[in-house]
Amino acid sequence: MKQRSRSAWTLVAWVALGLAALAAAAAVLLLPLRTGVEGWNERAVARPNTVTTDALVRGLFPRSGPAPGPQAYDSLARYFLEGWASYRTPGSERAYYPGEPSFSGRLADGVEGFSRVFPLAAAWLASGRPATIDTASGTLDLAKAFSEGLANGTDPDGHAYWGAIGDYSPQLVESADVALGLWLSRESVWSRLDAATKQRVIEWLRGALESQTYDGNWQMFPMVVHRVLKGLGIDVSRWDARIESNWEYFKSSHRGEGWFFEPHRGFDYYNAWSVHYSLFWLNRIDPTFEPDFLRSAQHDFVRFYSHLFGPQGQPLMGRSVCYRMAAPAPLLTSLALAPGAISRGQAMRALDLTWSVFISRGALADGNVTQGFCGPDLSTLAQYSGPASCLWSLRSLVVAFALDRELGLFAAEREPLPVERGDFRLTNDAIGWTVSGTRETGRIELVIEGNAAGDGPALVPYGLRHRLKEWLLHAPRRPDNGAALYGRRSYSTDRPLVECPGAVAQ
């Protein structure tokens, strides 16, 4: 009797174990269908450039030696344009780069692959440089390719449609770059579109004027779209009042000396590569847009901000650090918007060093910008960042190519930056930052006065538990390193959060 009872319980146990295994298997199989991001398992294969190679670019931007000249910067732009040619779709409306996806899904990531390269291609064309470039797959006609991409991406009846711009949508972010690219290439791309295609592009962009944005730098996106459409001769008067209200609200976040407060984050490099970059273009497209305020704000911003650049790079902190090479953008824009804030030679020295330092640390690979602090590193990659997101790094090049003909930037004689001239220590009371530099070593330290003394929160590495979550959920589950990226008292060029190859200048 006891034997029969034990056998029954054993059978029950095995059945329960089997059911548990089936439930676990079902969870593994079904959970991604319920919570996974679109296209999670579809990853692009890296395609190394064969014309403008990684090795060629590294050789043109060494850590020491003569400054990169005009040909070096031309090659750097060609490097990214060749990469785009390798990863673009047949209709050119998207580009699927290799790398880790964002939480927005593969289709949205592919739109970034178009929008974040378009302004560079447009600035290249507007500068009078060749309309065609050599790539691994043959000669690429830039104006033709980006025109086709615009036509396909904005066609709501086509299979390649980007999707309508909606409240807080990724398309809203990208609309500003699409609009800027259109304005910069208005003589080469916009002018070649037929009337029907132009109308579809206009209708798509108008979605940005009707959509809700998060506070902070997101408010720049519909403002850029509005001024571009107006600059192209399109009637957007029905949105004038809304855009004006949006601007006045954003302007209230100005805390002094050119710095704008970012909700939930405070102050970081978004002031440089998003806010001041966008404000420059707003004034460039429409010179009547707040000229006195913008000139004063950018002048004051650059006078302090220029001290963060040196032969070891910048003391990086904050989110989206993979946009790192865009950091010098406002130094360049100030040459046109706020003359006298910095010399042309110093601005170009900052641009040279930024690209040289990060290229030497692995910032470029296979025609793209790597997803990390130095090279590929998911510990600092935000959940919203995808394979093409880090191409916002190109913003410093967009400005440089757009202004080169006017200001002769690439051929300018370089001048030493503040840390190369002498020791310094400056405090910005408006934002509570103190920056100091040591001429002998090139070291720059940023101290955030409001943060507690000590080493501060440690960086959480991307590890096995994050990989397991991603495997199970089919969605990004990278570490939340906000505490380490914002909460430390000190950030310095010789002790970066992530160990970078060649972090100390040679």
Side-chain angles (χ1 to χ4, degrees):
M1 189 70 177
K2 290 182 179 181
Q3 181 65 34
R4 186 177 302 169
S5 177
R6 282 197 297 269
S7 298
W9 280 110
T10 299
L11 179 61
V12 169
W14 277 108
V15 169
L17 184 62
L19 290 173
L22 286 172
V28 169
L29 292 172
L30 296 177
L31 197 56
L33 297 177
R34 183 164 55 86
T35 63
V37 301
E38 174 267 326
W40 176 260
N41 286 323
E42 299 178 70
R43 307 295 175 91
V45 176
R47 299 172 186 171
N49 284 6
T50 61
V51 179
T52 309
T53 63
D54 289 1
L56 174 64
V57 172
R58 283 195 298 269
L60 292 171
F61 286 84
R63 290 292 298 275
S64 59
Q71 293 304 314
Y73 277 101
D74 280 8
S75 293
L76 185 58
R78 289 176 185 273
Y79 174 84
F80 291 112
L81 295 173
E82 182 181 351
W84 181 79
S86 295
Y87 300 119
R88 65 181 175 135
T89 55
S92 297
E93 79 289 337
R94 288 178 173 82
Y96 291 114
Y97 286 83
E100 295 303 306
S102 75
F103 60 32
S104 297
R106 189 169 188 265
L107 291 174
D109 290 346
V111 176
E112 288 188 349
F114 176 94
S115 61
R116 302 199 175 194
V117 178
F118 184 28
L120 177 62
W124 171 277
L125 291 168
S127 73
R129 286 171 170 79
T132 60
I133 65 165
D134 294 329
T135 74
S137 55
T139 301
L140 174 69
D141 184 325
L142 292 169
K144 181 176 183 290
F146 281 95
S147 296
E148 291 175 349
L150 283 165
N152 292 320
T154 59
D155 182 0
D157 297 322
H159 72 279
Y161 185 46
W162 288 335
I165 299 171
D167 296 345
Y168 317 109
S169 67
Q171 291 91 338
L172 176 57
V173 179
E174 304 316 306
S175 67
D177 278 330
V178 171
L180 177 59
L182 272 178
W183 186 79
L184 286 169
S185 64
R186 57 197 181 277
E187 296 180 1
S188 56
V189 173
W190 179 248
S191 62
R192 72 186 292 157
L193 300 179
D194 60 44
T197 301
K198 283 183 177 179
Q199 192 58 41
R200 288 198 301 269
V201 173
I202 292 167
E203 290 302 321
W204 186 79
L205 286 172
R206 279 176 176 161
L209 308 181
E210 301 172 342
S211 299
Q212 296 297 319
T213 70
Y214 296 110
D215 288 351
N217 77 95
W218 274 63
Q219 293 174 268
M220 296 287 100
F221 307 141
M223 292 170 64
V224 170
V225 171
H226 179 268
R227 281 311 194 274
V228 166
L229 289 176
K230 188 175 180 179
L232 293 175
I234 296 146
D235 182 9
V236 289
S237 57
R238 62 178 290 194
W239 294 283
D240 286 354
R242 180 177 187 180
I243 294 300
E244 179 63 25
S245 175
N246 180 74
W247 164 242
E248 291 300 328
Y249 181 76
F250 177 80
K251 190 178 178 182
S252 69
S253 69
H254 183 239
R255 296 295 184 264
E257 298 190 47
W259 287 84
F260 296 82
F261 185 83
E262 186 83 0
H264 312 300
R265 293 298 187 180
F267 303 101
D268 59 24
Y269 282 88
Y270 266 83
N271 265 270
W273 54 52
S274 185
V275 175
H276 276 285
Y277 176 84
S278 299
L279 292 176
F280 167 76
W281 288 118
L282 286 168
N283 180 264
R284 191 78 171 177
I285 297 163
D286 177 7
T288 67
F289 179 75
E290 293 277 1
D292 295 335
F293 173 77
L294 295 186
R295 187 178 301 113
S296 174
Q298 192 152 112
H299 180 278
D300 294 346
F301 178 81
V302 166
R303 294 285 287 180
F304 176 82
Y305 181 69
S306 60
H307 289 76
L308 292 169
F309 294 82
Q312 295 179 7
Q314 307 101 46
L316 283 182
M317 50 74 66
R319 64 195 177 99
S320 303
V321 291
C322 76
Y323 303 164
R324 53 206 178 275
M325 283 86 76
L331 305 183
L332 300 171
T333 61
S334 73
L335 298 174
L337 181 58
I342 190 174
S343 71
R344 183 179 60 164
Q346 284 185 312
M348 284 305 299
R349 175 67 173 158
L351 185 70
D352 295 343
L353 288 174
T354 299
W355 281 95
S356 296
V357 165
F358 286 108
I359 287 173
S360 72
R361 297 176 183 177
L364 304 186
D366 304 318
N368 193 17
V369 176
T370 54
Q371 295 176 296
F373 197 99
C374 311
D377 179 16
L378 300 188
S379 66
T380 58
L381 189 68
Q383 320 292 356
Y384 54 74
S385 293
S389 298
C390 305
L391 288 166
W392 255 26
S393 283
L394 305 188
R395 289 185 161 198
S396 61
L397 296 183
V398 173
V399 173
F401 278 96
L403 294 178
D404 180 48
R405 178 183 282 182
E406 175 184 335
L407 301 175
L409 296 182
F410 295 134
E413 183 177 349
R414 286 8 181 210
E415 298 176 27
L417 290 164
V419 75
E420 297 174 307
R421 294 173 180 263
D423 297 353
F424 64 81
R425 186 177 186 277
L426 294 174
T427 297
N428 187 318
D429 292 327
I431 60 174
W433 284 12
T434 294
V435 59
S436 59
T438 306
R439 180 177 182 272
E440 183 178 0
T441 61
R443 178 182 185 269
I444 299 173
E445 181 183 26
L446 167 63
V447 173
I448 301 177
E449 302 292 352
N451 290 349
D455 290 338
L459 195 76
V460 178
Y462 176 82
L464 179 60
R465 64 188 177 95
H466 303 102
R467 292 186 176 90
L468 287 173
K469 287 181 181 179
E470 292 183 342
W471 174 78
L472 181 63
L473 301 176
H474 285 203
R477 287 299 182 270
R478 299 154 197 157
D480 179 1
N481 269 308
L485 291 166
Y486 287 93
R488 293 190 174 198
R489 184 172 179 82
S490 170
Y491 298 88
S492 66
T493 55
D494 63 334
R495 295 183 61 195
L497 282 172
V498 176
E499 290 298 324
C500 301
V504 178
Q506 302 299 315

